[in-house]
């Protein structure tokens, strides 16, 4: 067991983050050197690139204006340091998504070209390009949090870093989700249902906007979402460790602050090695190739976690002995307990991934049950999809509940934080698997629009089908990790508030207290209100796309015959403007709600509100994303030739179900994650003032 570890241990943590960035840069160079295909492929890809870049730049200009206002407010309400770190957190989050998205829109045609050589070359291209986004997320996240702590050492200010990441996340998830689903729904409603043309048909004026949406929603949006969760979890766990474990002089014990960061650094090493194992074996199980990379990352991470835990073993043991902390089971060894908390977090990751695939994969009965129900019409498809979405909440929530109890029994509230951080430490490989999805989706679209040989589509179609499942799986992971992260944030909020209250007035959440009941109800309504605003936004934006596509079909001669060229840019511009307009109100809701409730009703009502939004939000988010993913793959299952195949009544019903599921799984459901964390972070930032300045109770 080593002696006391100093803050010099943060240097290897930062070095791991730098290694992730260097590896990502090397992959960028490799991707850009690959063949780009013929002139038509390059023309289509360029249109997607321009649309995606224009959208993100416009989105960031909106967010920057709002961010400047918030930063100025933070200077006066919290501190100048918090405002600076808020800006840095926002910039790093935005940069991770922007860089990753720009590589994705350049990898799509290269993946289509690689598909000429078979599944393995195309898989290699798509996954390596997706890995770039994942590595930038964990690299920027780990470096950002480490430097923020090393530079300031002030957790009130460091929470500002997490707030900046959260703000970008909620806008990216909402704006990107509205964009991608407005374009997708509009294209499907007119193209597939009314005109009877295939998906990704170049005759559809919304087809470029649809492909742009895949990148700004599933690539940039997921990157911002998990960057925020990663950073927020690290900061919240560090804060919790600093509050719970202090020496006789009242100084935080450094080991409990450094441990989450060391876990993150260890997992980067594991991710880099694991990513090398993603390749097709003798069989044709594409998902298995991706899972192999995840499995190797997990297998390597666990012994590294053990090593890191024992590196700080002397610090932990001394801390528990000297402080008499009761967070650990009597007679248990803190060193081993914390390691097992990390194992619990990894276990939750594996179970959530498997459970989500079960409910959204076409090879399992839930998706096939929706496809079968489609034979009897649109209504029965909707009923089945909604039911499967509801059932899909059971296993993830049960897993999270058991994980919370297990990690709490091992290490108290701090143990839950460690489980959450271990879970989030796998973000690099998870984002890589997710970003693979929009790349293969675009590759299939380019192959269709560029009239590539059928042999190419025979490769890109199964890759795209797996990509649809990977996107659902990573959303399940993101939601589950958000649940644990939010619980850690809530614990940090209560500890911060109690620091400013007397022991007699310390927060307690008694279910016989009217204030607690009221707060739970206020929190419970937030995901529904937020989700409804997001869904309505998609509906309005999609309506504009439908009108525009119908107009072009009617007014531009020769579109259906293939002799007239659709006006793709008009649909791209229309969806871009609509997404920017529609995202503002729902994105500001989670910022304003805790401020109003906290200053009007006080810290106890606000605390109960945070609990309510965590519990209800997790259920609603899982139900939306699982149901939406199942609807989507039920449609693809029918398109593969089951229950009449394409053009059958069952297929028409499945397209309707997929259209309903789209805004559930790609807009409202995933956006609930950052909404929950934004509310908690705002509450933590304002906790000292809310504890002493509120109107009632």
């Amino acid at each position: 067991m080593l002696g006391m570890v100093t803050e010099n241990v943060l240097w290897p943590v930062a070095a791991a983050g730098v290694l992730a960035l260097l590896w990502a840069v090397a992959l960028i160079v490799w991707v850009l050197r690959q063949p780009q295909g013929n002139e038509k492929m390059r023309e289509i890809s360029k249109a997607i690139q321009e649309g995606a870049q224009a959208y993100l730049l416009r989105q960031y200009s909106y967010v920057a204006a709002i961010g400047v206002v918030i930063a100025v407010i933070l200077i006066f309400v919290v501190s100048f340091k918090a405002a600076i770190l808020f800006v840095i957190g926002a910039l790093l989050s935005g940069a991770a998504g922007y860089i990753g998205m720009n590589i994705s829109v350049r990898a799509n045609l290269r993946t289509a070209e690689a598909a000429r050589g078979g599944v393995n070359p195309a898989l290699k291209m798509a996954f390596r390009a997706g890995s770039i986004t994942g590595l930038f997320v964990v690299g920027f996240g780990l470096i950002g949090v480490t430097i923020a702590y090393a530079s300031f050492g002030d957790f009130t200010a460091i929470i500002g870093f997490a707030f900046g990441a959260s703000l970008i996340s909620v806008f990216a998830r909402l704006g990107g989700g509205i964009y991608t689903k407005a374009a997708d729904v509009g294209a499907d409603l007119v193209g597939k249902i009314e005109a009877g043309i295939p998906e990704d048909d170049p005759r559809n004026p919304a087809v470029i906007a649809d492909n742009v949406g895949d990148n700004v929603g599933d690539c940039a949006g997921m990157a911002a979402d998990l960057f925020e969760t990663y950073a927020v979890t690290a900061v919240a766990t560090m804060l919790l460790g600093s509050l719970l474990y202090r020496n006789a002089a009242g100084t935080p014990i450094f080991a409990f602050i450094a441990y989450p960061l060391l876990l993150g650094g260890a997992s980067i090493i594991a991710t880099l090695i694991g990513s090398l194992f993603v390749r097709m074996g003798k069989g044709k199980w594409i998902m298995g190739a991706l899972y192999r990379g995840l499995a190797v990352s997990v297998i390597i991470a666990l012994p590294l976690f053990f090593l890191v835990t024992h590196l700080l073993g002397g610090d932990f043991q001394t801390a528990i002995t000297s402080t008499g902390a009761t967070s650990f089971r009597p007679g248990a060894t803190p060193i081993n307990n914390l390691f097992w908390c990390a194992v619990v977090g990894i276990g939750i990751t594996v179970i959530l991934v498997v459970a989500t695939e079960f409910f959204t994969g076409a090879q399992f009965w839930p998706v096939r049950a929706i496809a079968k129900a489609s034979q009897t019409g649109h209504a029965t498809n909707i009923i089945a999809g909604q039911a499967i979405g509801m059932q899909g909440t059971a296993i993830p929530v049960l897993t999270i509940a058991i994980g919370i109890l297990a990690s709490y029994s091992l290490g108290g509230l701090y143990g839950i934080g460690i489980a959450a951080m271990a879970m989030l430490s796998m973000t690099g490989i998870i984002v890589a698997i997710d970003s693979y999805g929009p790349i293969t989706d675009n590759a299939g679209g380019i192959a269709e629009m560029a009239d590539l040989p059928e042999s190419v589509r025979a490769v890109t179609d199964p890759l795209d089908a797996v990509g649809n499942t990977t996107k659902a799986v990573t959303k399940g992971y993101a939601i589950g990790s958000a649940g644990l992260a939010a619980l850690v944030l809530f614990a940090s909020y209560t500890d911060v508030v109690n620091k400013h209250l007397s022991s007699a007035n310390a927060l307690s959440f008694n279910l016989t207290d009217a204030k607690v009941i009221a707060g739970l109800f206020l929190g419970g309504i937030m995901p529904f209100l937020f989700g409804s605003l997001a869904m309505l936004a998609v509906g309005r934006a999609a309506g504009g796309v439908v009108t525009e596509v119908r107009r072009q079909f009617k007014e531009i001669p020769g579109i259906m015959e293939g002799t007239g060229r659709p006006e793709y840019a008009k649909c791209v511009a229309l969806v871009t403007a609509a997404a920017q307009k529609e995202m503002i109100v729902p994105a500001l809701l989670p910022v304003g709600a805790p401020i109003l409730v906290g200053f009007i009703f006080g810290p106890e009502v606000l605390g109960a509100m945070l609990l309510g939004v965590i519990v209800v939000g997790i259920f609603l988010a899982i139900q939306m994303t699982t149901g939406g993913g199942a609807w989507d793959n039920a449609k693809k299952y029918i398109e593969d030739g089951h229950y009449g195949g394409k053009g059958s009544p069952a297929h028409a019903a499945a397209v309707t179900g997929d259209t309903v599921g789209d805004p559930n799984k790609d807009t409202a459901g995933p956006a609930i994650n950052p909404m929950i964390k934004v509310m908690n972070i705002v509450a933590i930032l304002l906790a000292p003032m809310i504890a002493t300045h509120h109107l009632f109770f």
Side-chain angles (χ1 to χ4, degrees), residues 608-623:
M609 182 186 189
L610 298 179
L611 280 175
V613 75
I614 292 170
V615 174
V616 176
I618 294 301
F619 275 101
L620 186 60
I622 293 175
Q623 186 265 323

Side-chain angles (χ1 to χ4, degrees), residues 174-195:
L174 267 174
I178 292 169
Y179 187 110
T180 184
K181 290 306 108 180
D184 193 3
V185 170
D188 283 355
L189 286 176
V190 185
K192 284 186 177 180
I193 295 179
E194 295 182 9

Side-chain angles (χ1 to χ4, degrees), residues 54-72 74 83 86-95 98 162-176 178 216 220-221 224 576 579-588 591 678:
Y55 170 79
L56 276 191
L57 289 174
R58 184 165 175 176
Q59 174 175 273
Y60 288 161
S61 67
Y62 276 89
V63 178
I66 296 170
V68 167
V69 174
I70 293 176
V72 171
L74 287 175
F86 166 82
V87 173
I88 293 173
L91 287 174
L92 289 179
S93 178
Y98 187 78
F163 185 28
S166 294
L167 187 74
I168 290 293
S169 176
V170 74
F171 276 104
R173 264 305 187 194
L174 267 174
I178 292 169
V216 300
T576 298
Q580 303 302 324
K581 175 185 174 183
E582 296 284 0
M583 73 179 180
I584 301 297
V585 173
L588 292 178
V591 177
V678 165

Side-chain angles (χ1 to χ4, degrees), residues 480-494:
S481 60
L484 284 181
L487 189 61
V488 177
L489 285 169
F490 170 76
S492 299
Y493 164 78
T494 57

Side-chain angles (χ1 to χ4, degrees), residues 24 27 30-31 100-101 103-104 107 111 123-137 219 223 427-439:
L27 288 177
W30 181 84
V31 167
M101 183 276 296
I103 295 302
S104 292
T111 300
L123 172 67
K124 179 180 178 182
M125 169 61 66
F127 179 77
R128 287 192 174 183
S131 297
I132 294 167
T133 307
L135 292 173
F136 269 106
V137 167
C219 184
T427 292
I429 190 82
I430 293 291
V431 173
I433 292 172
D434 176 79
S435 296
Y436 155 93
I439 293 170

Side-chain angles (χ1 to χ4, degrees), residues 196-474:
I197 58 178
E199 188 171 356
D200 295 322
D201 194 301
R203 293 172 292 178
N204 194 324
V207 69
I208 296 295
D210 187 9
N211 280 276
V212 169
D214 292 331
N215 293 284
V216 300
D218 286 320
C219 184
M222 177 61 81
D225 186 355
L226 283 174
F227 177 92
E228 175 241 10
T229 307
Y230 186 91
V232 164
T233 303
V235 170
T237 307
M238 292 164 69
L239 172 59
L240 204 56
S242 74
L243 292 171
L244 291 175
Y245 304 108
R246 293 172 175 262
N247 59 26
T251 304
I253 297 169
F254 177 68
F256 292 93
I257 296 172
Y259 189 49
L261 298 177
L262 287 166
L263 292 181
S267 279
I268 284 179
I269 305 300
T271 294
L272 295 178
I273 298 172
S275 64
L276 299 176
F277 287 80
V278 176
R279 57 180 179 269
M280 293 293 293
K282 295 181 179 179
K284 296 183 178 180
W285 187 28
I286 299 171
M287 197 72 186
L290 298 172
Y291 280 163
R292 184 182 295 113
L294 177 59
V296 171
S297 298
V298 167
I299 291 169
I300 294 173
L302 290 176
L304 290 178
F305 287 174
F306 186 81
L307 179 65
V308 164
T309 308
H310 280 260
L311 171 68
L312 299 179
D315 300 65
F316 291 139
Q317 191 67 61
T318 301
I320 302 307
T321 303
S322 61
T323 61
T326 57
S327 296
F328 294 91
R329 233 174 19 199
T333 304
I335 306 169
N336 293 332
N337 277 23
L338 288 177
F339 168 71
W340 286 111
C341 287
V343 173
V344 167
I346 295 295
I348 294 173
T349 299
V350 172
I351 295 173
L352 288 183
V353 166
V354 172
T356 307
E357 185 183 0
F358 174 74
F359 278 97
T360 57
Q363 69 272 38
F364 302 110
W365 73 261
V367 166
R368 296 186 179 188
I370 299 174
K372 184 177 181 180
S374 303
Q375 296 179 101
T376 50
H378 301 256
T380 48
N381 171 281
I382 299 297
I383 292 168
Q386 190 172 14
I388 292 301
M390 290 177 177
Q391 284 188 23
T393 63
I395 295 176
V397 171
L398 181 63
T399 301
I400 293 170
I402 293 173
I404 289 170
L405 292 173
S407 55
Y408 184 83
S409 70
L410 290 166
L413 290 174
Y414 186 74
I416 297 175
I418 293 305
M421 189 61 207
M423 185 178 181
L424 264 301
S425 71
M426 291 288 109
T427 292
I429 190 82
I430 293 291
V431 173
I433 292 172
D434 176 79
S435 296
Y436 155 93
I439 293 170
T440 54
D441 193 343
N442 274 201
I446 289 172
E448 177 77 23
M449 289 184 277
D451 296 320
L452 296 186
E454 194 63 34
S455 59
V456 174
R457 284 309 301 253
V459 171
T460 59
D461 281 352
L463 289 173
D464 179 23
V466 169
N468 194 54
T469 301
T470 65
K471 288 184 285 187
V473 164
T474 49

